[in-house]
Amino acid sequence: MKKLLFFSILAIALGSGSVYAQDKGAKDMVVTGNTKSITLPDIATPLKDGPGKEYVEGNCTICHSTDYINMQPKMPKAKWSATVKKMVKTFGCPVNDAEMKAIEDYLAANYGTGS
Amino acid sequence: MDNRLTRRFFLKTVGVFTATAALGSWPTNIFADEKKLVRLPEKTDLILLTSRPPQLETPLHYFKELLTPNEALFVRWHLANIPTSVDLSQWRLNIGGNTDREVKLSMDDLKKLEKVSYTAVIQCSGNGRSFFEPRVPGGQWDNGAMGNVTWTGARLKDVLNAAGIKAGSVDVTFNGLDSGPLPTVPDLVKSLPVDKAMEDDIIVAYEMNGAPLTMLNGFPARLVVPGWYATYWVKALTDIKVLTQTFEEFWMKPAYRIPDNACGCVEPGSAPKKTVPINRMTTRSVIVTPTQGSGLKAKKPVEVMGVAFSGGYGIKDVVVSVDNGKTWNTARLGRDLGKYSWVLWYHSWRPAKPGKYTVMAKATNSIGESQPSDSLWNPAGYLWNKIEKIEVNVI
């Protein structure tokens, strides 16, 4: 009950009661004094198994989750290569040429159009 | 249906297929068309695009309402280090550069400036990208990277005047609390031409629908540039800088650009010769009910409804066709909340006999801008506004 009351006060303070009330005890948003904090869940989206997967998992998750890859439409190898090149040259993905090639092969084989 | 409940969030997999898939061409990527729902802090179940940084899409049914609830509004961050904790006693909005003085505004200072409120559509540049053919890489949004929200805050003009813009100013840049996980990743900084930045209707918003911003939608303050795509609506805003030259860092160039021509389009699959920063939203309508593929009964009345909006010019009319575009009927428009808001539109229909029907909707704004019947293509997948088309089965 005490807990419930605490959360409703929080909710009212933030002006949107129903949202937090629904979150049945999931304390993923708290306000302490002037500070508002949230806790983000870990959501893993597995990649398909195949040669080169370890290079993708090791390098392509430094800046973002694997779902950036899963989400894409099937693309021809040239398009995947262009994407990988952008990650390396524009954003600084730290891979050498051999790793880059292994990643391109993996993506084309598992998330490609086969062309 | 796989339904797992983990400690902090719900992850559901539902067999929903995109409109393109259901319209005939079988999905090229089954995985891309399978939607997972997740619940993040201060949010309801939304469609997961990516988790780090979070990109979440609003399920279509929320658009039956004039205002999109805060918990249902889409989420789109670019860089993995997003703010997850903000101390308002430390947070400041810094304004400087080519100004008379450097100013640091606290939230209390910001709230002392004249408070303005209006309803405006927020829409991601890439809303509808998944409908492009040939497909393009990027966030694979259907129609849920949009929402209609009442924003409240201080005029950007008043904020800039507090610092005093000096002669010779060209662009104003906006930066927020998010950053890339490696120093090589360009920080998300956006700019507006100084004349645009001084327009009356641009605000630094600290409330959405009467409540403080949710963390994932840019707490404690974000830019609201009504009529323009959300790429300019910088979240968790901290720094405003006035420049004496054009700003052309990564997220302004080469990112977020459209072909420099009237349609913002090129021959599918080709590259534009010249580009400009994406800016005002195109006019569009979205059919919310009935949904793609739904079954209806002959002679039973059904309300065809949806939303329509344009880049700041209000909606003049919406026409609806239930016979694949042969004949069109003027839809009834709902409450008008101003030129930046969307309107709900309605068309009562009584399907005469069983069969397959193609329902279409087309909006026109007050300056005559409308929607194309063929999709306009550009390599980044922006400006999607092809006339909506859904198929329903009448039995």
Side-chain angles (χ1 to χ4, degrees), chain A residues 22-91:
Chain A
Q22 278 171 12
D23 265 13
K24 294 196 194 84
K27 295 187 198 99
D28 55 11
M29 196 288 292
V30 287
V31 174
T32 342
N34 283 311
T35 306
K36 168 167 162 167
S37 306
I38 59 166
T39 308
L40 292 170
D42 290 324
I43 302 171
T45 310
L47 289 170
K48 290 187 206 170
D49 285 325
K53 183 185 173 188
E54 65 277 19
Y55 297 112
V56 176
E57 285 180 335
N59 298 293
C60 304
T61 57
I62 300 171
C63 300
H64 50 66
S65 44
T66 49
D67 34 30
Y68 267 83
I69 294 168
N70 297 52
M71 163 176 69
Q72 301 310 323
K74 287 198 167 194
M75 298 194 284
K77 186 161 185 194
K79 279 235 162 137
W80 271 121
S81 298
T83 299
V84 173
K85 197 170 162 214
K86 176 174 159 192
M87 299 306 136
V88 177
K89 298 279 182 299
T90 309
F91 296 138

Side-chain angles (χ1 to χ4, degrees), chain B residues 72-135:
Chain B
L73 187 66
F74 77 98
V75 171
R76 197 284 188 246
W77 292 88
H78 301 71
L79 308 176
N81 295 339
I82 68 164
T84 53
S85 185
V86 176
D87 180 353
L88 282 182
S89 66
Q90 302 296 313
W91 177 86
R92 292 291 179 274
L93 181 56
N94 307 303
I95 307 107
N98 192 43
T99 57
D100 296 330
R101 55 203 156 265
E102 299 261 320
V103 174
K104 286 181 188 300
L105 300 179
S106 66
M107 185 51 83
D108 285 344
D109 297 333
L110 194 61
K111 287 185 174 173
K112 278 183 206 127
L113 297 173
E114 189 192 345
K115 190 170 176 173
V116 291
S117 228
Y118 52 78
T119 302
V121 171
I122 175 168
Q123 182 186 213
C124 177
S125 311
N127 197 27
R129 180 179 288 123
S130 69
F131 307 135
F132 274 75
E133 204 54 63
R135 302 278 304 258

Side-chain angles (χ1 to χ4, degrees), chain B residues 253-282:
Chain B
K253 192 181 185 180
Y256 285 109
R257 304 201 50 113
I258 53 171
D260 185 13
N261 56 37
C263 67
C265 65
V266 289
E267 196 54 39
S270 72
K273 282 191 189 70
K274 203 166 162 252
T275 62
V276 290
I278 191 168
N279 48 79
R280 203 162 61 80
M281 294 192 287
T282 53

Side-chain angles (χ1 to χ4, degrees), chain B residues 38-246:
Chain B
V38 294
R39 182 176 292 195
L40 264 57
E42 305 176 275
K43 290 279 150 185
T44 187
D45 287 354
L46 297 177
I47 299 160
L48 175 73
L49 265 66
T50 65
S51 63
R52 183 175 56 91
Q55 300 191 77
L56 310 172
E57 174 163 352
T58 306
L60 203 60
H61 67 86
Y62 284 101
F63 305 144
K64 285 182 204 161
E65 304 297 330
L66 186 52
L67 293 178
T68 311
N70 293 353
E71 58 172 355
L73 187 66
F74 77 98
V75 171
R76 197 284 188 246
W77 292 88
H78 301 71
L79 308 176
N81 295 339
I82 68 164
T84 53
S85 185
V86 176
D87 180 353
L88 282 182
S89 66
Q90 302 296 313
W91 177 86
R92 292 291 179 274
L93 181 56
N94 307 303
I95 307 107
N98 192 43
T99 57
D100 296 330
R101 55 203 156 265
E102 299 261 320
V103 174
K104 286 181 188 300
L105 300 179
S106 66
M107 185 51 83
D108 285 344
D109 297 333
L110 194 61
K111 287 185 174 173
K112 278 183 206 127
L113 297 173
E114 189 192 345
K115 190 170 176 173
V116 291
S117 228
Y118 52 78
T119 302
V121 171
I122 175 168
Q123 182 186 213
C124 177
S125 311
N127 197 27
R129 180 179 288 123
S130 69
F131 307 135
F132 274 75
E133 204 54 63
R135 302 278 304 258
V136 296
Q140 298 300 310
W141 307 99
D142 287 355
N143 277 328
M146 63 178 192
N148 197 37
V149 171
T150 302
W151 306 96
T152 301
R155 288 199 170 88
L156 175 61
K157 188 172 84 171
D158 293 345
V159 169
L160 288 169
N161 283 339
I165 292 193
K166 287 211 285 215
S169 298
V170 174
D171 273 356
V172 182
T173 64
F174 303 89
N175 194 3
L177 291 171
D178 54 339
S179 65
L182 291 184
T184 45
V185 178
D187 196 8
L188 188 91
V189 184
K190 297 294 298 185
S191 70
L192 292 173
V194 69
D195 293 345
K196 177 72 191 171
M198 290 298 281
E199 280 180 6
D200 278 344
D201 292 347
I202 301 181
I203 62 176
V204 176
Y206 42 78
E207 282 178 17
M208 54 197 285
N209 294 326
L213 302 186
T214 64
M215 189 71 83
L216 292 173
N217 292 117
F219 184 82
R222 76 177 301 167
L223 203 62
V224 167
V225 188
W228 282 33
Y229 284 100
T231 178
Y232 295 100
W233 302 34
V234 174
K235 296 182 287 301
L237 187 64
T238 51
D239 292 278
I240 300 179
K241 208 168 163 193
V242 182
L243 304 184
T244 52
Q245 73 281 347
T246 307

Side-chain angles (χ1 to χ4, degrees), chain A residues 73-74, chain B residues 16-34 133 135:
Chain A
K74 287 198 167 194
Chain B
V16 180
F17 287 83
T18 60
T20 30
L23 272 174
S25 60
W26 193 244
T28 41
N29 181 354
I30 283 282
F31 293 95
D33 291 302
E34 185 184 84
E133 204 54 63
R135 302 278 304 258

Side-chain angles (χ1 to χ4, degrees), chain B residues 288-351:
Chain B
V288 179
T289 66
T291 52
Q292 165 61 33
S294 50
L296 306 174
K297 285 217 174 73
K299 299 201 167 58
K300 195 171 169 259
V302 53
E303 187 91 291
V304 181
M305 72 80 58
V307 304
F309 57 95
S310 83
Y313 287 91
I315 289 297
K316 191 183 83 201
D317 63 43
V318 176
V319 289
V320 177
S321 170
V322 293
D323 55 11
N324 200 12
K326 281 193 214 67
T327 58
W328 295 88
N329 314 275
T330 305
R332 282 174 287 124
L333 301 185
R335 205 142 63 92
D336 178 5
L337 292 185
K339 60 184 180 180
Y340 299 121
S341 170
W342 68 31
V343 287
L344 301 181
W345 52 262
Y346 305 89
H347 171 65
S348 307
W349 176 40
R350 202 169 152 272

